[in-house]
Amino acid sequence: MTDPYGIEWGEQAAHLGDAAAQEGEWYAAVAAWLVRRGDRVAMDVGCGGGGMAAALAGVLGEAGTVVAADAWPDVLAEADRRLAGAPAQVVCVLADLGEGVEPLRGYVPADLVWASASVHHVGDQQAAVTALAGLLGPGGRLALAEGGLPARRLPWDLGVGEPGLEERLEAAQDRWFARMRAGLPGSVPMPYGWTEALRRAGLTAVTSRTGLLERPVPLVAADVERVLSKLTHRVDWLRPTGLLSADDLAAWDRLLDPAADAYLGRRGDLQSVEARTVHVGTRT
């Protein structure tokens, strides 16, 4: 990653695919909540690995159409592989939300538009929300998966480095996010929450729901590997930014090294808990 604040999503295609596979249960539960009887067209804008597109296809069934859209060809190809054999008709569309929603207009009106962690990568977030709302037919819903609570995986004191290592990792991620947002083309502040953004887009019956993603403790081997993979990805992501101290990086290198005495993979006190929020508004 040459520019630590510019994201080459094509390089992240495999990571996005892994995340989609790991979070299938959550996607399925959210899709079952969002899809209503009689819905026929659903869109996943910024589809990443295709996790929600697959869940929507599962709920809509043979009579439905799912439009999976992403700005990166490699990412879209990963989603296409995941969606092969889906029960609904699936259309993969190359579309950059930051440049508008014109490539999606051939599939409107939509009954449901889903955008997860994609709007915050657009300079003018309110304009993006308003554009997505414009894809809906009467009674259609726009669902934004944004916000929630940070994941918690580690004890506060690990016996390596200064206590609070995971909390400082999240704080560094917050600073990275602010700098990433400031560097986006046409970046403007949005000094209000996602529910207000939905209302300003002309939607009504705005609500939010937060769900818990939690793995049973003690974690099984596969869940331990997922925790280590996510921590390694986050540390490596932030490593070139200078937002983590040298002492913290040294601690992470010990904790994530299978050959080190402090390797996290040999601990029995890891957890995997995260809260995610979905904000929904309806077009009248």
Side-chain angles (χ1 to χ4, degrees):
M1 186 170 56
T2 55
D3 176 3
Y5 300 101
I7 307 172
E8 291 292 331
W9 285 111
E11 299 175 358
Q12 302 295 319
H15 173 73
L16 294 171
D18 289 344
Q22 294 167 15
E23 297 170 3
E25 292 182 6
W26 180 77
Y27 284 123
V30 176
W33 167 52
L34 290 172
V35 174
R36 296 178 180 173
R37 184 183 299 273
D39 285 352
R40 291 294 179 266
V41 178
M43 296 183 179
D44 182 356
V45 182
C47 65
M52 179 52 90
L56 292 171
V59 178
L60 289 175
E62 294 181 356
T65 298
V66 175
V67 180
D70 206 278
W72 294 83
D74 290 348
V75 173
L76 201 60
E78 178 70 30
D80 193 31
R81 285 191 289 273
R82 176 164 303 281
L83 295 165
Q89 177 186 0
V90 176
V91 182
C92 290
V93 178
L94 195 64
D96 186 342
L97 183 56
E99 297 178 358
V101 296
E102 290 306 314
L104 301 174
R105 294 207 178 277
Y107 306 95
V108 298
D111 300 299
L112 174 66
V113 174
W114 166 268
S116 174
S118 54
V119 175
H120 68 233
H121 290 289
V122 178
D124 190 336
Q125 297 171 103
Q126 181 63 68
V129 173
T130 301
L132 291 172
L135 299 172
L136 299 170
R141 285 85 60 211
L142 172 57
L144 306 175
E146 296 279 2
L149 297 174
R152 283 293 172 262
R153 304 181 178 100
L154 306 178
W156 179 71
D157 189 349
L158 291 160
V160 175
E162 184 181 348
L165 195 62
E166 187 174 20
E167 286 77 3
R168 291 194 298 281
L169 186 68
E170 289 297 333
Q173 176 66 22
D174 282 346
R175 294 195 297 274
W176 176 90
F177 182 82
R179 295 181 186 182
M180 180 277 293
R181 285 272 330 142
L184 289 172
S187 181
V188 296
M190 192 181 81
Y192 45 85
W194 295 105
T195 51
E196 178 63 20
L198 290 167
R199 283 188 285 266
R200 294 190 185 197
L203 302 181
T204 61
V206 174
T207 188
S208 296
R209 179 180 290 191
T210 299
L212 192 66
L213 284 76
E214 183 176 17
R215 307 304 299 175
V217 174
L219 300 183
V220 299
D223 289 332
V224 171
E225 286 302 313
R226 292 187 186 107
V227 165
L228 298 179
S229 175
K230 290 182 178 181
L231 288 171
T232 299
H233 184 266
R234 177 63 58 84
V235 171
D236 288 345
W237 187 276
L238 292 170
R239 189 180 299 272
T241 67
L243 295 172
L244 292 173
S245 71
D247 287 344
D248 278 0
L249 280 173
W252 283 115
D253 287 341
R254 283 185 62 194
L255 292 166
L256 296 171
D257 180 2
D261 58 346
Y263 180 51
L264 290 174
R266 287 190 285 273
R267 296 186 69 115
D269 55 359
L270 305 184
Q271 59 181 336
S272 181
V273 182
E274 181 180 359
R276 289 191 186 169
T277 302
V278 178
H279 313 278
V280 185
T282 302
R283 181 176 179 181
T284 56

PDB file of all heavy atoms in Angstrom, residues 160-181:
ATOM      1  N   VAL A 160       2.377  -8.197  27.623  1.00  0.00           N
ATOM      2  CA  VAL A 160       3.326  -7.768  26.590  1.00  0.00           C
ATOM      3  C   VAL A 160       2.989  -6.324  26.238  1.00  0.00           C
ATOM      4  O   VAL A 160       1.848  -6.003  25.919  1.00  0.00           O
ATOM      5  CB  VAL A 160       3.219  -8.643  25.320  1.00  0.00           C
ATOM      6  CG1 VAL A 160       4.128  -8.099  24.218  1.00  0.00           C
ATOM      7  CG2 VAL A 160       3.564 -10.081  25.640  1.00  0.00           C
ATOM      8  N   GLY A 161       3.966  -5.454  26.307  1.00  0.00           N
ATOM      9  CA  GLY A 161       3.707  -4.049  26.027  1.00  0.00           C
ATOM     10  C   GLY A 161       2.846  -3.409  27.099  1.00  0.00           C
ATOM     11  O   GLY A 161       2.523  -4.006  28.130  1.00  0.00           O
ATOM     12  N   GLU A 162       2.454  -2.185  26.854  1.00  0.00           N
ATOM     13  CA  GLU A 162       1.603  -1.458  27.802  1.00  0.00           C
ATOM     14  C   GLU A 162       0.175  -1.954  27.707  1.00  0.00           C
ATOM     15  O   GLU A 162      -0.335  -2.207  26.603  1.00  0.00           O
ATOM     16  CB  GLU A 162       1.657   0.037  27.473  1.00  0.00           C
ATOM     17  CG  GLU A 162       0.893   0.912  28.440  1.00  0.00           C
ATOM     18  CD  GLU A 162       0.953   2.380  28.048  1.00  0.00           C
ATOM     19  OE1 GLU A 162       1.765   2.721  27.174  1.00  0.00           O
ATOM     20  OE2 GLU A 162       0.170   3.172  28.613  1.00  0.00           O
ATOM     21  N   PRO A 163      -0.525  -2.133  28.823  1.00  0.00           N
ATOM     22  CA  PRO A 163      -1.926  -2.553  28.761  1.00  0.00           C
ATOM     23  C   PRO A 163      -2.767  -1.600  27.901  1.00  0.00           C
ATOM     24  O   PRO A 163      -2.454  -0.426  27.745  1.00  0.00           O
ATOM     25  CB  PRO A 163      -2.368  -2.513  30.233  1.00  0.00           C
ATOM     26  CG  PRO A 163      -1.107  -2.746  31.001  1.00  0.00           C
ATOM     27  CD  PRO A 163      -0.031  -2.036  30.208  1.00  0.00           C
ATOM     28  N   GLY A 164      -3.854  -2.114  27.355  1.00  0.00           N
ATOM     29  CA  GLY A 164      -4.724  -1.323  26.487  1.00  0.00           C
ATOM     30  C   GLY A 164      -4.299  -1.352  25.026  1.00  0.00           C
ATOM     31  O   GLY A 164      -4.652  -0.474  24.254  1.00  0.00           O
ATOM     32  N   LEU A 165      -3.571  -2.392  24.629  1.00  0.00           N
ATOM     33  CA  LEU A 165      -3.026  -2.463  23.273  1.00  0.00           C
ATOM     34  C   LEU A 165      -4.127  -2.463  22.219  1.00  0.00           C
ATOM     35  O   LEU A 165      -4.029  -1.754  21.207  1.00  0.00           O
ATOM     36  CB  LEU A 165      -2.168  -3.726  23.150  1.00  0.00           C
ATOM     37  CG  LEU A 165      -1.216  -3.826  21.959  1.00  0.00           C
ATOM     38  CD1 LEU A 165      -0.171  -2.721  21.999  1.00  0.00           C
ATOM     39  CD2 LEU A 165      -0.530  -5.195  21.967  1.00  0.00           C
ATOM     40  N   GLU A 166      -5.181  -3.240  22.431  1.00  0.00           N
ATOM     41  CA  GLU A 166      -6.255  -3.301  21.439  1.00  0.00           C
ATOM     42  C   GLU A 166      -7.002  -1.976  21.352  1.00  0.00           C
ATOM     43  O   GLU A 166      -7.386  -1.536  20.262  1.00  0.00           O
ATOM     44  CB  GLU A 166      -7.237  -4.426  21.785  1.00  0.00           C
ATOM     45  CG  GLU A 166      -8.283  -4.648  20.697  1.00  0.00           C
ATOM     46  CD  GLU A 166      -9.160  -5.857  20.970  1.00  0.00           C
ATOM     47  OE1 GLU A 166      -9.242  -6.321  22.145  1.00  0.00           O
ATOM     48  OE2 GLU A 166      -9.772  -6.365  20.019  1.00  0.00           O
ATOM     49  N   GLU A 167      -7.192  -1.314  22.481  1.00  0.00           N
ATOM     50  CA  GLU A 167      -7.866  -0.018  22.479  1.00  0.00           C
ATOM     51  C   GLU A 167      -7.062   1.010  21.690  1.00  0.00           C
ATOM     52  O   GLU A 167      -7.629   1.838  20.961  1.00  0.00           O
ATOM     53  CB  GLU A 167      -8.090   0.463  23.915  1.00  0.00           C
ATOM     54  CG  GLU A 167      -9.194  -0.274  24.660  1.00  0.00           C
ATOM     55  CD  GLU A 167      -8.785  -1.660  25.152  1.00  0.00           C
ATOM     56  OE1 GLU A 167      -7.613  -2.042  24.961  1.00  0.00           O
ATOM     57  OE2 GLU A 167      -9.637  -2.355  25.720  1.00  0.00           O
ATOM     58  N   ARG A 168      -5.724   0.970  21.828  1.00  0.00           N
ATOM     59  CA  ARG A 168      -4.902   1.920  21.066  1.00  0.00           C
ATOM     60  C   ARG A 168      -4.915   1.580  19.572  1.00  0.00           C
ATOM     61  O   ARG A 168      -4.801   2.469  18.730  1.00  0.00           O
ATOM     62  CB  ARG A 168      -3.471   1.944  21.620  1.00  0.00           C
ATOM     63  CG  ARG A 168      -3.387   2.565  23.010  1.00  0.00           C
ATOM     64  CD  ARG A 168      -1.957   2.903  23.402  1.00  0.00           C
ATOM     65  NE  ARG A 168      -1.103   1.722  23.470  1.00  0.00           N
ATOM     66  CZ  ARG A 168      -1.087   0.868  24.500  1.00  0.00           C
ATOM     67  NH1 ARG A 168      -1.895   1.031  25.529  1.00  0.00           N
ATOM     68  NH2 ARG A 168      -0.252  -0.172  24.499  1.00  0.00           N
ATOM     69  N   LEU A 169      -5.062   0.307  19.253  1.00  0.00           N
ATOM     70  CA  LEU A 169      -5.191  -0.076  17.844  1.00  0.00           C
ATOM     71  C   LEU A 169      -6.462   0.525  17.252  1.00  0.00           C
ATOM     72  O   LEU A 169      -6.447   1.047  16.126  1.00  0.00           O
ATOM     73  CB  LEU A 169      -5.218  -1.600  17.732  1.00  0.00           C
ATOM     74  CG  LEU A 169      -5.205  -2.187  16.315  1.00  0.00           C
ATOM     75  CD1 LEU A 169      -3.866  -1.922  15.623  1.00  0.00           C
ATOM     76  CD2 LEU A 169      -5.491  -3.693  16.354  1.00  0.00           C
ATOM     77  N   GLU A 170      -7.554   0.474  17.990  1.00  0.00           N
ATOM     78  CA  GLU A 170      -8.804   1.071  17.516  1.00  0.00           C
ATOM     79  C   GLU A 170      -8.682   2.587  17.414  1.00  0.00           C
ATOM     80  O   GLU A 170      -9.216   3.195  16.481  1.00  0.00           O
ATOM     81  CB  GLU A 170      -9.952   0.699  18.457  1.00  0.00           C
ATOM     82  CG  GLU A 170     -10.369  -0.753  18.373  1.00  0.00           C
ATOM     83  CD  GLU A 170     -10.913  -1.126  17.001  1.00  0.00           C
ATOM     84  OE1 GLU A 170     -11.438  -0.237  16.304  1.00  0.00           O
ATOM     85  OE2 GLU A 170     -10.788  -2.307  16.616  1.00  0.00           O
ATOM     86  N   ALA A 171      -7.994   3.213  18.366  1.00  0.00           N
ATOM     87  CA  ALA A 171      -7.812   4.667  18.302  1.00  0.00           C
ATOM     88  C   ALA A 171      -6.999   5.058  17.073  1.00  0.00           C
ATOM     89  O   ALA A 171      -7.292   6.058  16.409  1.00  0.00           O
ATOM     90  CB  ALA A 171      -7.128   5.157  19.580  1.00  0.00           C
ATOM     91  N   ALA A 172      -5.982   4.261  16.749  1.00  0.00           N
ATOM     92  CA  ALA A 172      -5.191   4.528  15.545  1.00  0.00           C
ATOM     93  C   ALA A 172      -6.050   4.367  14.298  1.00  0.00           C
ATOM     94  O   ALA A 172      -5.933   5.140  13.336  1.00  0.00           O
ATOM     95  CB  ALA A 172      -3.990   3.588  15.488  1.00  0.00           C
ATOM     96  N   GLN A 173      -6.934   3.369  14.304  1.00  0.00           N
ATOM     97  CA  GLN A 173      -7.837   3.181  13.173  1.00  0.00           C
ATOM     98  C   GLN A 173      -8.760   4.381  13.012  1.00  0.00           C
ATOM     99  O   GLN A 173      -9.045   4.824  11.891  1.00  0.00           O
ATOM    100  CB  GLN A 173      -8.662   1.906  13.376  1.00  0.00           C
ATOM    101  CG  GLN A 173      -9.715   1.652  12.313  1.00  0.00           C
ATOM    102  CD  GLN A 173      -9.135   1.365  10.947  1.00  0.00           C
ATOM    103  OE1 GLN A 173      -7.982   0.954  10.836  1.00  0.00           O
ATOM    104  NE2 GLN A 173      -9.920   1.580   9.900  1.00  0.00           N
ATOM    105  N   ASP A 174      -9.241   4.943  14.107  1.00  0.00           N
ATOM    106  CA  ASP A 174     -10.094   6.131  14.038  1.00  0.00           C
ATOM    107  C   ASP A 174      -9.340   7.306  13.420  1.00  0.00           C
ATOM    108  O   ASP A 174      -9.895   8.065  12.611  1.00  0.00           O
ATOM    109  CB  ASP A 174     -10.591   6.518  15.435  1.00  0.00           C
ATOM    110  CG  ASP A 174     -11.726   5.630  15.909  1.00  0.00           C
ATOM    111  OD1 ASP A 174     -12.311   4.904  15.082  1.00  0.00           O
ATOM    112  OD2 ASP A 174     -12.021   5.659  17.123  1.00  0.00           O
ATOM    113  N   ARG A 175      -8.077   7.484  13.809  1.00  0.00           N
ATOM    114  CA  ARG A 175      -7.292   8.578  13.233  1.00  0.00           C
ATOM    115  C   ARG A 175      -7.034   8.333  11.755  1.00  0.00           C
ATOM    116  O   ARG A 175      -7.075   9.274  10.944  1.00  0.00           O
ATOM    117  CB  ARG A 175      -5.964   8.737  14.000  1.00  0.00           C
ATOM    118  CG  ARG A 175      -6.146   9.184  15.441  1.00  0.00           C
ATOM    119  CD  ARG A 175      -4.847   9.670  16.048  1.00  0.00           C
ATOM    120  NE  ARG A 175      -3.831   8.633  16.121  1.00  0.00           N
ATOM    121  CZ  ARG A 175      -3.718   7.760  17.117  1.00  0.00           C
ATOM    122  NH1 ARG A 175      -4.582   7.784  18.126  1.00  0.00           N
ATOM    123  NH2 ARG A 175      -2.752   6.852  17.116  1.00  0.00           N
ATOM    124  N   TRP A 176      -6.771   7.063  11.382  1.00  0.00           N
ATOM    125  CA  TRP A 176      -6.617   6.727   9.966  1.00  0.00           C
ATOM    126  C   TRP A 176      -7.884   7.077   9.196  1.00  0.00           C
ATOM    127  O   TRP A 176      -7.822   7.662   8.113  1.00  0.00           O
ATOM    128  CB  TRP A 176      -6.312   5.233   9.814  1.00  0.00           C
ATOM    129  CG  TRP A 176      -6.231   4.816   8.372  1.00  0.00           C
ATOM    130  CD1 TRP A 176      -5.123   4.804   7.587  1.00  0.00           C
ATOM    131  CD2 TRP A 176      -7.319   4.384   7.544  1.00  0.00           C
ATOM    132  NE1 TRP A 176      -5.449   4.385   6.308  1.00  0.00           N
ATOM    133  CE2 TRP A 176      -6.798   4.126   6.259  1.00  0.00           C
ATOM    134  CE3 TRP A 176      -8.685   4.202   7.771  1.00  0.00           C
ATOM    135  CZ2 TRP A 176      -7.591   3.685   5.202  1.00  0.00           C
ATOM    136  CZ3 TRP A 176      -9.480   3.767   6.724  1.00  0.00           C
ATOM    137  CH2 TRP A 176      -8.925   3.509   5.459  1.00  0.00           C
ATOM    138  N   PHE A 177      -9.040   6.737   9.769  1.00  0.00           N
ATOM    139  CA  PHE A 177     -10.312   6.978   9.094  1.00  0.00           C
ATOM    140  C   PHE A 177     -10.517   8.473   8.850  1.00  0.00           C
ATOM    141  O   PHE A 177     -10.933   8.884   7.759  1.00  0.00           O
ATOM    142  CB  PHE A 177     -11.460   6.410   9.926  1.00  0.00           C
ATOM    143  CG  PHE A 177     -12.808   6.566   9.286  1.00  0.00           C
ATOM    144  CD1 PHE A 177     -13.243   5.666   8.325  1.00  0.00           C
ATOM    145  CD2 PHE A 177     -13.637   7.620   9.637  1.00  0.00           C
ATOM    146  CE1 PHE A 177     -14.488   5.816   7.727  1.00  0.00           C
ATOM    147  CE2 PHE A 177     -14.875   7.776   9.040  1.00  0.00           C
ATOM    148  CZ  PHE A 177     -15.308   6.871   8.086  1.00  0.00           C
ATOM    149  N   ALA A 178     -10.223   9.295   9.857  1.00  0.00           N
ATOM    150  CA  ALA A 178     -10.397  10.737   9.702  1.00  0.00           C
ATOM    151  C   ALA A 178      -9.500  11.278   8.590  1.00  0.00           C
ATOM    152  O   ALA A 178      -9.915  12.121   7.786  1.00  0.00           O
ATOM    153  CB  ALA A 178     -10.104  11.448  11.017  1.00  0.00           C
ATOM    154  N   ARG A 179      -8.265  10.800   8.519  1.00  0.00           N
ATOM    155  CA  ARG A 179      -7.348  11.266   7.480  1.00  0.00           C
ATOM    156  C   ARG A 179      -7.765  10.743   6.108  1.00  0.00           C
ATOM    157  O   ARG A 179      -7.645  11.449   5.099  1.00  0.00           O
ATOM    158  CB  ARG A 179      -5.922  10.838   7.811  1.00  0.00           C
ATOM    159  CG  ARG A 179      -5.399  11.506   9.076  1.00  0.00           C
ATOM    160  CD  ARG A 179      -3.961  11.097   9.375  1.00  0.00           C
ATOM    161  NE  ARG A 179      -3.532  11.633  10.664  1.00  0.00           N
ATOM    162  CZ  ARG A 179      -2.308  11.462  11.162  1.00  0.00           C
ATOM    163  NH1 ARG A 179      -1.413  10.765  10.478  1.00  0.00           N
ATOM    164  NH2 ARG A 179      -1.993  11.980  12.337  1.00  0.00           N
ATOM    165  N   MET A 180      -8.255   9.501   6.050  1.00  0.00           N
ATOM    166  CA  MET A 180      -8.752   8.957   4.788  1.00  0.00           C
ATOM    167  C   MET A 180      -9.911   9.784   4.275  1.00  0.00           C
ATOM    168  O   MET A 180      -9.959  10.159   3.100  1.00  0.00           O
ATOM    169  CB  MET A 180      -9.180   7.499   4.994  1.00  0.00           C
ATOM    170  CG  MET A 180      -9.728   6.795   3.752  1.00  0.00           C
ATOM    171  SD  MET A 180     -11.502   7.108   3.415  1.00  0.00           S
ATOM    172  CE  MET A 180     -12.276   6.292   4.810  1.00  0.00           C
ATOM    173  N   ARG A 181     -10.860  10.113   5.158  1.00  0.00           N
ATOM    174  CA  ARG A 181     -12.022  10.907   4.761  1.00  0.00           C
ATOM    175  C   ARG A 181     -11.579  12.288   4.259  1.00  0.00           C
ATOM    176  O   ARG A 181     -12.090  12.780   3.248  1.00  0.00           O
ATOM    177  CB  ARG A 181     -12.962  11.097   5.963  1.00  0.00           C
ATOM    178  CG  ARG A 181     -13.763   9.899   6.342  1.00  0.00           C
ATOM    179  CD  ARG A 181     -15.092   9.768   5.619  1.00  0.00           C
ATOM    180  NE  ARG A 181     -15.678  11.022   5.252  1.00  0.00           N
ATOM    181  CZ  ARG A 181     -16.327  11.227   4.101  1.00  0.00           C
ATOM    182  NH1 ARG A 181     -16.420  10.263   3.205  1.00  0.00           N
ATOM    183  NH2 ARG A 181     -16.869  12.384   3.837  1.00  0.00           N
TER     184      ARG A 181
END
